[in-house]
Amino acid sequence: VFDGVIGDLASGETDMVITALTMTADREEFVDFVPPYFERTGITIVMRKPIKKTSLFRFMTVLKLEVWLSIVGALVGTGFLIWFLDKYSPYSARNNKNAYPFPCREFTLKESFWFALTSFTPQGGGEAPKALSGRTL
């Protein structure tokens, strides 16, 4: 399509060029222009456009893999501990029916994981455990 400097950049023969070159829409499709610092000099820096990979999981590149695994580990550990504390605490709504005669949220294993996951959102996880140990966690 192009010959000369733009053709060399587009084909990959050249990585970067500093030259007096006019920015046009056709050239912008193939190369990146750095806007000139001084308009009167006419010197422009031009580089080949980077090739961007697209992926459904691109949003996960914000954090490293170790951070994502730590978040998942924290969610699993917290969900399991909420279930464990609600099941075995003598002060939970499940084990202390006299203190809580009204219907309360029962923290099954599935419900505990859901509570841990939704607690990360600004809306919150809903009704918290009744026992002090579960609420503290």
Side-chain angles (χ1 to χ4, degrees), residues 41-55:
T41 61
I43 296 176
T44 307
I45 300 173
V46 185
M47 298 181 310
R48 186 174 355 123
K49 278 197 177 220
I51 299 169
K52 297 176 184 169
K53 294 189 302 183
T54 57
S55 171

PDB file of all heavy atoms in Angstrom, residues 41-55:
ATOM      1  N   THR A  41       8.849  23.070  13.656  1.00  0.00           N
ATOM      2  CA  THR A  41       9.984  22.283  13.176  1.00  0.00           C
ATOM      3  C   THR A  41       9.575  21.273  12.120  1.00  0.00           C
ATOM      4  O   THR A  41      10.354  20.959  11.236  1.00  0.00           O
ATOM      5  CB  THR A  41      10.652  21.523  14.334  1.00  0.00           C
ATOM      6  OG1 THR A  41       9.706  20.635  14.908  1.00  0.00           O
ATOM      7  CG2 THR A  41      11.189  22.482  15.377  1.00  0.00           C
ATOM      8  N   GLY A  42       8.371  20.711  12.224  1.00  0.00           N
ATOM      9  CA  GLY A  42       7.904  19.744  11.246  1.00  0.00           C
ATOM     10  C   GLY A  42       8.443  18.341  11.478  1.00  0.00           C
ATOM     11  O   GLY A  42       8.159  17.438  10.705  1.00  0.00           O
ATOM     12  N   ILE A  43       9.230  18.124  12.535  1.00  0.00           N
ATOM     13  CA  ILE A  43       9.779  16.800  12.805  1.00  0.00           C
ATOM     14  C   ILE A  43       8.759  16.008  13.616  1.00  0.00           C
ATOM     15  O   ILE A  43       8.220  16.491  14.604  1.00  0.00           O
ATOM     16  CB  ILE A  43      11.116  16.899  13.558  1.00  0.00           C
ATOM     17  CG1 ILE A  43      12.136  17.590  12.658  1.00  0.00           C
ATOM     18  CG2 ILE A  43      11.602  15.529  13.979  1.00  0.00           C
ATOM     19  CD1 ILE A  43      13.463  17.827  13.331  1.00  0.00           C
ATOM     20  N   THR A  44       8.506  14.765  13.202  1.00  0.00           N
ATOM     21  CA  THR A  44       7.513  13.915  13.831  1.00  0.00           C
ATOM     22  C   THR A  44       8.135  12.553  14.120  1.00  0.00           C
ATOM     23  O   THR A  44       8.953  12.067  13.354  1.00  0.00           O
ATOM     24  CB  THR A  44       6.309  13.718  12.881  1.00  0.00           C
ATOM     25  OG1 THR A  44       5.841  15.004  12.480  1.00  0.00           O
ATOM     26  CG2 THR A  44       5.191  12.969  13.565  1.00  0.00           C
ATOM     27  N   ILE A  45       7.727  11.944  15.242  1.00  0.00           N
ATOM     28  CA  ILE A  45       8.163  10.592  15.573  1.00  0.00           C
ATOM     29  C   ILE A  45       7.043   9.636  15.196  1.00  0.00           C
ATOM     30  O   ILE A  45       5.887   9.845  15.571  1.00  0.00           O
ATOM     31  CB  ILE A  45       8.492  10.469  17.072  1.00  0.00           C
ATOM     32  CG1 ILE A  45       9.614  11.433  17.439  1.00  0.00           C
ATOM     33  CG2 ILE A  45       8.871   9.038  17.422  1.00  0.00           C
ATOM     34  CD1 ILE A  45       9.888  11.505  18.921  1.00  0.00           C
ATOM     35  N   VAL A  46       7.382   8.595  14.449  1.00  0.00           N
ATOM     36  CA  VAL A  46       6.388   7.645  13.960  1.00  0.00           C
ATOM     37  C   VAL A  46       6.826   6.241  14.360  1.00  0.00           C
ATOM     38  O   VAL A  46       7.983   5.885  14.239  1.00  0.00           O
ATOM     39  CB  VAL A  46       6.259   7.725  12.424  1.00  0.00           C
ATOM     40  CG1 VAL A  46       5.150   6.823  11.933  1.00  0.00           C
ATOM     41  CG2 VAL A  46       6.009   9.148  11.977  1.00  0.00           C
ATOM     42  N   MET A  47       5.855   5.421  14.867  1.00  0.00           N
ATOM     43  CA  MET A  47       6.143   4.036  15.254  1.00  0.00           C
ATOM     44  C   MET A  47       5.090   3.126  14.644  1.00  0.00           C
ATOM     45  O   MET A  47       3.968   3.564  14.367  1.00  0.00           O
ATOM     46  CB  MET A  47       6.104   3.882  16.781  1.00  0.00           C
ATOM     47  CG  MET A  47       7.131   4.720  17.495  1.00  0.00           C
ATOM     48  SD  MET A  47       7.119   4.520  19.266  1.00  0.00           S
ATOM     49  CE  MET A  47       5.431   4.725  19.713  1.00  0.00           C
ATOM     50  N   ARG A  48       5.450   1.848  14.497  1.00  0.00           N
ATOM     51  CA  ARG A  48       4.509   0.854  14.016  1.00  0.00           C
ATOM     52  C   ARG A  48       3.424   0.650  15.060  1.00  0.00           C
ATOM     53  O   ARG A  48       3.694   0.622  16.246  1.00  0.00           O
ATOM     54  CB  ARG A  48       5.252  -0.458  13.759  1.00  0.00           C
ATOM     55  CG  ARG A  48       4.423  -1.519  13.124  1.00  0.00           C
ATOM     56  CD  ARG A  48       5.237  -2.755  12.764  1.00  0.00           C
ATOM     57  NE  ARG A  48       6.648  -2.594  13.012  1.00  0.00           N
ATOM     58  CZ  ARG A  48       7.369  -3.390  13.792  1.00  0.00           C
ATOM     59  NH1 ARG A  48       6.825  -4.412  14.377  1.00  0.00           N
ATOM     60  NH2 ARG A  48       8.649  -3.181  13.972  1.00  0.00           N
ATOM     61  N   LYS A  49       2.168   0.486  14.622  1.00  0.00           N
ATOM     62  CA  LYS A  49       1.077   0.256  15.574  1.00  0.00           C
ATOM     63  C   LYS A  49       1.254  -1.092  16.236  1.00  0.00           C
ATOM     64  O   LYS A  49       1.532  -2.089  15.569  1.00  0.00           O
ATOM     65  CB  LYS A  49      -0.274   0.289  14.871  1.00  0.00           C
ATOM     66  CG  LYS A  49      -0.799   1.671  14.662  1.00  0.00           C
ATOM     67  CD  LYS A  49      -2.274   1.640  14.362  1.00  0.00           C
ATOM     68  CE  LYS A  49      -2.725   3.063  14.238  1.00  0.00           C
ATOM     69  NZ  LYS A  49      -3.977   3.290  14.824  1.00  0.00           N
ATOM     70  N   PRO A  50       1.094  -1.153  17.570  1.00  0.00           N
ATOM     71  CA  PRO A  50       1.205  -2.463  18.231  1.00  0.00           C
ATOM     72  C   PRO A  50       0.011  -3.349  17.879  1.00  0.00           C
ATOM     73  O   PRO A  50      -1.102  -2.873  17.703  1.00  0.00           O
ATOM     74  CB  PRO A  50       1.207  -2.111  19.719  1.00  0.00           C
ATOM     75  CG  PRO A  50       0.565  -0.764  19.797  1.00  0.00           C
ATOM     76  CD  PRO A  50       0.853  -0.075  18.499  1.00  0.00           C
ATOM     77  N   ILE A  51       0.285  -4.636  17.780  1.00  0.00           N
ATOM     78  CA  ILE A  51      -0.784  -5.595  17.495  1.00  0.00           C
ATOM     79  C   ILE A  51      -1.409  -5.988  18.829  1.00  0.00           C
ATOM     80  O   ILE A  51      -0.734  -6.518  19.712  1.00  0.00           O
ATOM     81  CB  ILE A  51      -0.217  -6.821  16.760  1.00  0.00           C
ATOM     82  CG1 ILE A  51       0.395  -6.381  15.429  1.00  0.00           C
ATOM     83  CG2 ILE A  51      -1.306  -7.860  16.541  1.00  0.00           C
ATOM     84  CD1 ILE A  51       1.201  -7.464  14.745  1.00  0.00           C
ATOM     85  N   LYS A  52      -2.686  -5.738  18.970  1.00  0.00           N
ATOM     86  CA  LYS A  52      -3.381  -6.010  20.225  1.00  0.00           C
ATOM     87  C   LYS A  52      -4.079  -7.361  20.138  1.00  0.00           C
ATOM     88  O   LYS A  52      -4.823  -7.620  19.199  1.00  0.00           O
ATOM     89  CB  LYS A  52      -4.399  -4.915  20.521  1.00  0.00           C
ATOM     90  CG  LYS A  52      -3.776  -3.556  20.711  1.00  0.00           C
ATOM     91  CD  LYS A  52      -4.827  -2.496  20.908  1.00  0.00           C
ATOM     92  CE  LYS A  52      -4.185  -1.131  21.004  1.00  0.00           C
ATOM     93  NZ  LYS A  52      -5.145  -0.057  20.940  1.00  0.00           N
ATOM     94  N   LYS A  53      -3.827  -8.206  21.136  1.00  0.00           N
ATOM     95  CA  LYS A  53      -4.519  -9.488  21.207  1.00  0.00           C
ATOM     96  C   LYS A  53      -5.852  -9.284  21.926  1.00  0.00           C
ATOM     97  O   LYS A  53      -5.910  -8.586  22.934  1.00  0.00           O
ATOM     98  CB  LYS A  53      -3.679 -10.511  21.964  1.00  0.00           C
ATOM     99  CG  LYS A  53      -2.400 -10.889  21.252  1.00  0.00           C
ATOM    100  CD  LYS A  53      -1.703 -12.058  21.904  1.00  0.00           C
ATOM    101  CE  LYS A  53      -1.367 -11.780  23.335  1.00  0.00           C
ATOM    102  NZ  LYS A  53      -0.637 -12.853  24.006  1.00  0.00           N
ATOM    103  N   THR A  54      -6.894  -9.886  21.414  1.00  0.00           N
ATOM    104  CA  THR A  54      -8.193  -9.809  22.070  1.00  0.00           C
ATOM    105  C   THR A  54      -8.482 -11.133  22.757  1.00  0.00           C
ATOM    106  O   THR A  54      -8.128 -12.192  22.259  1.00  0.00           O
ATOM    107  CB  THR A  54      -9.305  -9.489  21.056  1.00  0.00           C
ATOM    108  OG1 THR A  54      -9.296 -10.486  20.050  1.00  0.00           O
ATOM    109  CG2 THR A  54      -9.093  -8.126  20.431  1.00  0.00           C
ATOM    110  N   SER A  55      -9.110 -11.033  23.910  1.00  0.00           N
ATOM    111  CA  SER A  55      -9.436 -12.224  24.679  1.00  0.00           C
ATOM    112  C   SER A  55     -10.625 -11.917  25.568  1.00  0.00           C
ATOM    113  O   SER A  55     -10.817 -10.774  25.996  1.00  0.00           O
ATOM    114  CB  SER A  55      -8.231 -12.634  25.536  1.00  0.00           C
ATOM    115  OG  SER A  55      -8.606 -13.647  26.432  1.00  0.00           O
TER     116      SER A  55
END
